[in-house]
Amino acid sequence: MSKSTHFFGQPVYGQLIKALDGDKIVEMSRRNGGERYVKSFDGFTHLLTMLYAVIMRFDSLREIEAAMTAEVRKLRHIGIDRVPKRSTLSDANARSSEKFFEDMYHDLYKSNKDKLSSDSRRNGTEKWIKRLRIIDSTTITLFSNVIFKGVGRQPRTGKKKGGIKVHSVIHANEGVRCDVKFTSAATNDSFMLAPSHFRHDEIVALDRAYINYEKFEELTRRNVVYVTKMKKNLKYEVLVDCMDMNEAGLMEYREQVVVFRKGSINHIARIITYVDIKRGKTPKLVSLLTNDFDMPMETIVAIYRRR
Protein backbone atom coordinates (compact mmCIF):
# COMPACT_ATOMS: atom_id res chain seq x y z
CA MET A 1 0.00 0.00 0.00
CA SER A 2 1.44 3.37 -1.03
CA LYS A 3 1.68 6.12 1.54
CA SER A 4 -0.67 9.08 1.27
CA THR A 5 0.98 12.24 -0.06
CA HIS A 6 -1.20 14.28 2.30
CA PHE A 7 0.31 12.82 5.49
CA PHE A 8 3.06 15.05 6.87
CA GLY A 9 4.22 12.73 9.66
CA GLN A 10 3.86 15.50 12.26
CA PRO A 11 1.18 16.48 14.78
CA VAL A 12 -1.39 19.03 13.58
CA TYR A 13 0.05 21.55 16.04
CA GLY A 14 3.50 21.01 14.54
CA GLN A 15 2.14 21.74 11.07
CA LEU A 16 0.33 24.89 12.22
CA ILE A 17 3.37 26.50 13.83
CA LYS A 18 5.26 26.23 10.54
CA ALA A 19 3.42 29.41 9.59
CA LEU A 20 5.35 31.23 12.34
CA ASP A 21 8.72 32.86 11.71
CA GLY A 22 10.76 32.15 14.85
CA ASP A 23 13.44 34.75 14.17
CA LYS A 24 10.90 37.49 13.51
CA ILE A 25 8.97 36.61 16.70
CA VAL A 26 12.14 36.75 18.80
CA GLU A 27 12.92 40.16 17.29
CA MET A 28 9.41 41.40 18.20
CA SER A 29 9.93 40.10 21.72
CA ARG A 30 13.27 41.91 21.92
CA ARG A 31 11.69 45.21 20.79
CA ASN A 32 9.14 44.89 23.61
CA GLY A 33 11.73 44.09 26.28
CA GLY A 34 10.98 40.36 26.48
CA GLU A 35 14.52 39.08 25.82
CA ARG A 36 16.32 40.68 28.75
CA TYR A 37 18.28 38.20 30.88
CA VAL A 38 16.97 35.30 28.74
CA LYS A 39 19.27 32.31 28.19
CA SER A 40 17.16 29.67 26.42
CA PHE A 41 13.45 30.37 26.98
CA ASP A 42 13.08 33.07 24.29
CA GLY A 43 9.91 34.71 22.99
CA PHE A 44 9.28 32.06 20.34
CA THR A 45 9.51 29.18 22.84
CA HIS A 46 7.31 31.13 25.25
CA LEU A 47 4.70 31.56 22.52
CA LEU A 48 4.75 27.85 21.59
CA THR A 49 4.32 26.90 25.23
CA MET A 50 1.39 29.24 25.82
CA LEU A 51 -0.34 28.16 22.58
CA TYR A 52 0.02 24.55 23.69
CA ALA A 53 -1.48 25.46 27.07
CA VAL A 54 -4.44 27.21 25.44
CA ILE A 55 -5.16 24.31 23.08
CA MET A 56 -4.99 21.84 25.98
CA ARG A 57 -7.14 24.19 28.13
CA PHE A 58 -4.77 24.23 31.07
CA ASP A 59 -5.63 26.48 34.00
CA SER A 60 -2.33 26.69 35.87
CA LEU A 61 1.43 26.68 35.40
CA ARG A 62 1.58 23.43 37.37
CA GLU A 63 -0.64 21.72 34.78
CA ILE A 64 1.52 22.99 31.92
CA GLU A 65 4.74 21.71 33.48
CA ALA A 66 3.24 18.31 34.40
CA ALA A 67 1.70 17.72 30.98
CA MET A 68 4.83 18.75 29.08
CA THR A 69 6.99 16.54 31.31
CA ALA A 70 4.79 13.56 30.45
CA GLU A 71 5.16 14.34 26.73
CA VAL A 72 8.82 15.30 26.86
CA ARG A 73 9.83 12.97 23.99
CA LYS A 74 7.33 14.59 21.63
CA LEU A 75 8.12 18.22 22.35
CA ARG A 76 10.83 18.41 19.71
CA HIS A 77 8.14 17.97 17.03
CA ILE A 78 6.62 21.30 18.06
CA GLY A 79 9.91 23.14 18.38
CA ILE A 80 10.49 22.93 22.15
CA ASP A 81 13.79 21.45 23.34
CA ARG A 82 13.16 21.26 27.07
CA VAL A 83 10.34 21.39 29.59
CA PRO A 84 10.07 24.89 31.14
CA LYS A 85 9.85 25.11 34.91
CA ARG A 86 6.98 26.90 36.60
CA SER A 87 9.30 29.68 37.74
CA THR A 88 10.57 30.13 34.18
CA LEU A 89 7.03 30.39 32.84
CA SER A 90 6.04 32.79 35.60
CA ASP A 91 9.02 35.05 34.89
CA ALA A 92 8.32 34.98 31.14
CA ASN A 93 4.66 35.91 31.64
CA ALA A 94 5.62 38.80 33.91
CA ARG A 95 8.37 39.97 31.56
CA SER A 96 6.50 39.76 28.23
CA SER A 97 4.39 42.74 27.30
CA GLU A 98 0.93 42.22 25.77
CA LYS A 99 2.22 44.47 22.95
CA PHE A 100 4.49 41.59 21.88
CA PHE A 101 1.52 39.28 21.28
CA GLU A 102 -0.40 42.11 19.60
CA ASP A 103 2.44 42.85 17.17
CA MET A 104 2.84 39.16 16.39
CA TYR A 105 -0.88 38.73 15.66
CA HIS A 106 -1.01 41.76 13.35
CA ASP A 107 2.11 40.60 11.50
CA LEU A 108 0.65 37.13 10.98
CA TYR A 109 -2.66 38.65 9.86
CA LYS A 110 -0.98 40.92 7.29
CA SER A 111 1.10 38.02 5.94
CA ASN A 112 -2.01 35.92 5.26
CA LYS A 113 -4.55 38.65 4.49
CA ASP A 114 -4.66 38.02 0.73
CA LYS A 115 -5.18 34.28 1.19
CA LEU A 116 -8.06 34.83 3.60
CA SER A 117 -10.07 36.93 1.15
CA SER A 118 -9.33 34.97 -2.05
CA ASP A 119 -12.24 32.49 -2.07
CA SER A 120 -15.36 34.28 -3.36
CA ARG A 121 -17.44 31.09 -3.15
CA ARG A 122 -16.95 31.05 0.62
CA ASN A 123 -17.02 34.81 1.28
CA GLY A 124 -19.87 35.82 -1.01
CA THR A 125 -20.04 37.72 -4.29
CA GLU A 126 -22.08 40.76 -3.21
CA LYS A 127 -20.58 44.06 -4.35
CA TRP A 128 -20.57 45.43 -0.81
CA ILE A 129 -18.94 42.42 0.87
CA LYS A 130 -15.36 43.73 0.50
CA ARG A 131 -16.39 47.08 2.00
CA LEU A 132 -18.03 45.53 5.07
CA ARG A 133 -16.48 45.41 8.52
CA ILE A 134 -18.24 43.75 11.43
CA ILE A 135 -17.78 44.87 15.05
CA ASP A 136 -18.89 42.77 17.98
CA SER A 137 -17.97 41.94 21.56
CA THR A 138 -18.06 38.91 23.82
CA THR A 139 -18.04 38.97 27.62
CA ILE A 140 -15.93 36.38 29.45
CA THR A 141 -17.43 36.07 32.93
CA LEU A 142 -14.99 35.70 35.81
CA PHE A 143 -15.61 34.53 39.36
CA SER A 144 -14.87 37.80 41.11
CA ASN A 145 -16.07 41.38 41.07
CA VAL A 146 -13.03 42.56 43.01
CA ILE A 147 -10.51 43.00 40.20
CA PHE A 148 -12.81 43.49 37.19
CA LYS A 149 -15.87 45.70 37.51
CA GLY A 150 -19.14 43.79 37.25
CA VAL A 151 -21.28 43.77 34.12
CA GLY A 152 -25.03 44.23 33.77
CA ARG A 153 -27.70 45.26 36.24
CA GLN A 154 -27.37 44.54 39.93
CA PRO A 155 -29.06 41.15 40.60
CA ARG A 156 -31.60 40.78 43.40
CA THR A 157 -29.42 38.24 45.15
CA GLY A 158 -25.65 38.10 45.27
CA LYS A 159 -23.16 40.32 43.41
CA LYS A 160 -22.59 41.09 39.79
CA LYS A 161 -19.94 38.90 38.23
CA GLY A 162 -16.81 40.59 37.02
CA GLY A 163 -15.41 39.80 33.63
CA ILE A 164 -13.37 40.70 30.58
CA LYS A 165 -14.93 41.95 27.37
CA VAL A 166 -13.33 41.00 24.06
CA HIS A 167 -13.99 43.54 21.28
CA SER A 168 -13.19 42.47 17.72
CA VAL A 169 -13.35 43.83 14.17
CA ILE A 170 -13.67 41.46 11.21
CA HIS A 171 -13.55 42.07 7.47
CA ALA A 172 -16.62 40.21 6.17
CA ASN A 173 -14.74 38.72 3.21
CA GLU A 174 -11.97 37.33 5.45
CA GLY A 175 -13.67 35.91 8.53
CA VAL A 176 -10.61 36.52 10.74
CA ARG A 177 -10.31 39.31 13.31
CA CYS A 178 -8.18 42.17 12.06
CA ASP A 179 -8.30 43.98 15.41
CA VAL A 180 -8.89 42.70 18.96
CA LYS A 181 -9.14 44.72 22.19
CA PHE A 182 -9.65 43.57 25.80
CA THR A 183 -11.41 45.69 28.43
CA SER A 184 -13.32 45.19 31.65
CA ALA A 185 -16.85 43.87 31.09
CA ALA A 186 -18.31 47.17 32.31
CA THR A 187 -16.66 49.19 29.50
CA ASN A 188 -19.21 50.58 27.04
CA ASP A 189 -18.97 48.95 23.62
CA SER A 190 -19.00 52.28 21.78
CA PHE A 191 -15.33 52.88 22.67
CA MET A 192 -14.43 50.42 19.88
CA LEU A 193 -16.33 52.47 17.31
CA ALA A 194 -13.51 54.86 16.42
CA PRO A 195 -14.51 56.72 13.21
CA SER A 196 -10.86 57.48 12.37
CA HIS A 197 -10.21 53.73 12.00
CA PHE A 198 -12.55 53.45 9.00
CA ARG A 199 -11.82 54.46 5.44
CA HIS A 200 -13.98 56.39 2.99
CA ASP A 201 -16.89 54.34 1.56
CA GLU A 202 -16.52 51.46 4.05
CA ILE A 203 -19.55 49.82 5.70
CA VAL A 204 -19.62 48.87 9.37
CA ALA A 205 -22.24 46.51 10.82
CA LEU A 206 -22.61 46.54 14.58
CA ASP A 207 -24.89 45.69 17.48
CA ARG A 208 -27.18 48.22 19.14
CA ALA A 209 -24.82 48.44 22.13
CA TYR A 210 -22.56 50.60 19.92
CA ILE A 211 -25.14 53.35 19.30
CA ASN A 212 -23.52 56.73 19.82
CA TYR A 213 -24.95 59.78 17.99
CA GLU A 214 -21.73 61.79 18.10
CA LYS A 215 -19.73 58.97 16.52
CA PHE A 216 -22.52 58.23 14.02
CA GLU A 217 -22.40 61.87 12.91
CA GLU A 218 -18.63 61.71 12.47
CA LEU A 219 -18.94 58.46 10.46
CA THR A 220 -21.43 60.23 8.21
CA ARG A 221 -19.01 63.14 7.65
CA ARG A 222 -16.31 60.62 6.73
CA ASN A 223 -18.69 58.93 4.26
CA VAL A 224 -18.66 55.68 6.23
CA VAL A 225 -21.93 53.72 6.23
CA TYR A 226 -23.13 52.11 9.46
CA VAL A 227 -25.91 49.54 9.92
CA THR A 228 -27.13 48.64 13.40
CA LYS A 229 -30.20 47.42 15.23
CA MET A 230 -32.52 49.90 16.90
CA LYS A 231 -32.92 50.24 20.64
CA LYS A 232 -36.49 50.35 21.90
CA ASN A 233 -36.07 53.49 23.99
CA LEU A 234 -34.56 55.79 21.35
CA LYS A 235 -36.25 59.15 20.96
CA TYR A 236 -36.43 60.77 17.53
CA GLU A 237 -38.50 62.98 15.25
CA VAL A 238 -39.99 61.41 12.12
CA LEU A 239 -39.46 63.40 8.90
CA VAL A 240 -40.63 60.84 6.32
CA ASP A 241 -42.65 57.64 6.80
CA CYS A 242 -43.35 55.16 3.98
CA MET A 243 -44.57 51.56 3.94
CA ASP A 244 -44.28 48.80 1.30
CA MET A 245 -47.19 46.34 1.19
CA ASN A 246 -47.40 42.95 -0.52
CA GLU A 247 -50.30 41.66 -2.61
CA ALA A 248 -52.03 40.31 0.51
CA GLY A 249 -52.05 43.78 2.05
CA LEU A 250 -49.38 42.95 4.64
CA MET A 251 -46.34 45.09 5.39
CA GLU A 252 -43.02 43.97 3.90
CA TYR A 253 -40.90 47.00 4.69
CA ARG A 254 -41.35 50.30 6.46
CA GLU A 255 -38.92 53.13 5.75
CA GLN A 256 -38.57 56.20 7.93
CA VAL A 257 -36.28 59.20 7.78
CA VAL A 258 -35.73 60.52 11.30
CA VAL A 259 -33.60 62.98 13.21
CA PHE A 260 -32.00 62.29 16.59
CA ARG A 261 -31.35 65.32 18.76
CA LYS A 262 -28.90 65.26 21.65
CA GLY A 263 -27.26 68.45 22.85
CA SER A 264 -25.85 70.21 19.80
CA ILE A 265 -26.07 67.05 17.65
CA ASN A 266 -28.83 66.66 15.07
CA HIS A 267 -28.22 63.32 13.41
CA ILE A 268 -30.42 62.40 10.42
CA ALA A 269 -30.75 58.65 9.80
CA ARG A 270 -32.90 56.04 8.12
CA ILE A 271 -34.93 53.38 9.93
CA ILE A 272 -35.86 50.23 8.01
CA THR A 273 -38.38 47.89 9.64
CA TYR A 274 -39.02 44.42 8.24
CA VAL A 275 -40.67 41.17 9.28
CA ASP A 276 -38.07 38.65 10.42
CA ILE A 277 -39.34 35.15 9.66
CA LYS A 278 -37.39 32.17 11.00
CA ARG A 279 -38.41 28.54 10.77
CA GLY A 280 -40.08 27.33 13.95
CA LYS A 281 -40.26 30.81 15.49
CA THR A 282 -42.93 33.48 15.66
CA PRO A 283 -42.38 36.27 13.07
CA LYS A 284 -41.26 39.54 14.63
CA LEU A 285 -40.59 43.11 13.55
CA VAL A 286 -36.94 44.16 13.40
CA SER A 287 -35.87 47.80 12.96
CA LEU A 288 -32.46 48.69 11.55
CA LEU A 289 -30.77 52.08 11.76
CA THR A 290 -28.42 53.36 9.05
CA ASN A 291 -27.04 56.59 7.61
CA ASP A 292 -27.25 55.29 4.04
CA PHE A 293 -30.16 56.61 1.95
CA ASP A 294 -29.22 55.08 -1.42
CA MET A 295 -28.96 51.31 -0.99
CA PRO A 296 -32.18 49.27 -1.37
CA MET A 297 -33.87 48.19 1.85
CA GLU A 298 -33.19 44.53 1.00
CA THR A 299 -29.45 45.28 0.86
CA ILE A 300 -29.46 46.98 4.28
CA VAL A 301 -31.20 43.92 5.75
CA ALA A 302 -28.70 41.58 4.04
CA ILE A 303 -25.77 43.57 5.46
CA TYR A 304 -27.04 43.26 9.02
CA ARG A 305 -27.84 39.57 8.57
CA ARG A 306 -24.25 39.08 7.42
CA ARG A 307 -23.19 40.40 10.82
Side-chain angles (χ1 to χ4, degrees), residues 52-98:
Y52 173 76
V54 170
I55 292 173
M56 298 300 292
R57 299 185 179 183
F58 293 143
D59 296 322
S60 66
L61 300 182
R62 187 185 300 276
E63 277 187 288
I64 298 174
E65 181 183 12
M68 295 184 76
T69 301
E71 303 289 344
V72 63
R73 295 184 180 181
K74 302 177 183 179
L75 295 181
R76 190 172 295 273
H77 291 294
I78 59 174
I80 300 177
D81 295 328
R82 65 185 68 181
V83 178
K85 301 295 183 181
R86 277 175 291 165
S87 58
T88 303
L89 276 173
S90 179
D91 292 341
N93 288 338
R95 182 175 59 247
S96 297
S97 167
E98 67 277 3

Side-chain angles (χ1 to χ4, degrees), residues 245-260:
M245 313 292 287
N246 59 21
E247 295 179 356
L250 300 175
M251 187 197 83
E252 284 191 340
Y253 293 98
R254 181 183 182 184
E255 182 178 18
Q256 297 170 288
V257 177
V258 302
V259 56
F260 296 93

Side-chain angles (χ1 to χ4, degrees), residues 21-249:
D21 187 333
D23 294 335
K24 183 183 290 187
I25 290 174
V26 170
E27 179 58 32
M28 290 179 188
S29 176
R30 183 174 291 109
R31 288 201 304 266
N32 289 282
E35 297 301 305
R36 295 178 182 175
Y37 314 112
V38 172
K39 295 181 179 179
S40 60
F41 197 71
D42 57 18
F44 184 57
T45 308
H46 182 207
L47 172 66
L48 295 182
T49 303
M50 298 312 295
L51 285 176
Y52 173 76
V54 170
I55 292 173
M56 298 300 292
R57 299 185 179 183
F58 293 143
D59 296 322
S60 66
L61 300 182
R62 187 185 300 276
E63 277 187 288
I64 298 174
E65 181 183 12
M68 295 184 76
T69 301
E71 303 289 344
V72 63
R73 295 184 180 181
K74 302 177 183 179
L75 295 181
R76 190 172 295 273
H77 291 294
I78 59 174
I80 300 177
D81 295 328
R82 65 185 68 181
V83 178
K85 301 295 183 181
R86 277 175 291 165
S87 58
T88 303
L89 276 173
S90 179
D91 292 341
N93 288 338
R95 182 175 59 247
S96 297
S97 167
E98 67 277 3
K99 189 69 170 53
F100 158 58
F101 297 101
E102 179 183 347
D103 292 346
M104 183 201 57
Y105 180 87
H106 284 300
D107 181 79
L108 192 62
Y109 167 75
K110 290 178 181 177
S111 301
N112 295 275
K113 185 177 180 180
D114 294 336
K115 299 176 184 177
L116 294 171
S117 59
S118 61
D119 192 347
S120 61
R121 293 171 298 177
R122 179 192 64 198
N123 299 320
T125 57
E126 298 89 348
K127 292 182 179 179
W128 44 263
I129 200 72
K130 291 185 178 181
R131 299 164 50 200
L132 177 61
R133 290 197 194 188
I134 301 170
I135 303 180
D136 207 351
S137 65
T138 301
T139 300
I140 303 173
T141 303
L142 301 178
F143 60 89
S144 175
N145 191 33
V146 177
I147 301 176
F148 299 100
K149 190 176 179 181
V151 60
R153 297 178 179 178
Q154 186 69 36
R156 294 181 179 178
T157 58
K159 295 182 178 180
K160 292 188 292 184
K161 292 184 178 179
I164 298 174
K165 188 173 287 186
V166 183
H167 307 262
S168 57
V169 182
I170 301 175
H171 285 282
N173 65 320
E174 295 173 355
V176 174
R177 294 165 178 81
C178 62
D179 192 16
V180 181
K181 302 292 184 184
F182 296 87
T183 67
S184 68
T187 301
N188 191 283
D189 286 352
S190 64
F191 107 95
M192 194 68 175
L193 185 61
S196 60
H197 291 174
F198 300 96
R199 298 191 299 270
H200 173 86
D201 206 34
E202 280 192 325
I203 303 171
V204 53
L206 36 89
D207 197 5
R208 55 191 171 189
Y210 292 87
I211 291 179
N212 183 298
Y213 300 139
E214 182 178 357
K215 292 186 177 182
F216 281 177
E217 188 65 19
E218 187 174 349
L219 287 173
T220 303
R221 289 197 298 268
R222 291 175 175 269
N223 199 31
V224 176
V225 174
Y226 69 80
V227 178
T228 185
K229 196 174 182 179
M230 284 280 291
K231 286 182 178 180
K232 294 181 179 179
N233 60 346
L234 295 183
K235 296 181 179 180
Y236 52 86
E237 178 185 339
V238 179
L239 304 178
V240 180
D241 195 343
C242 303
M243 191 174 295
D244 287 358
M245 313 292 287
N246 59 21
E247 295 179 356

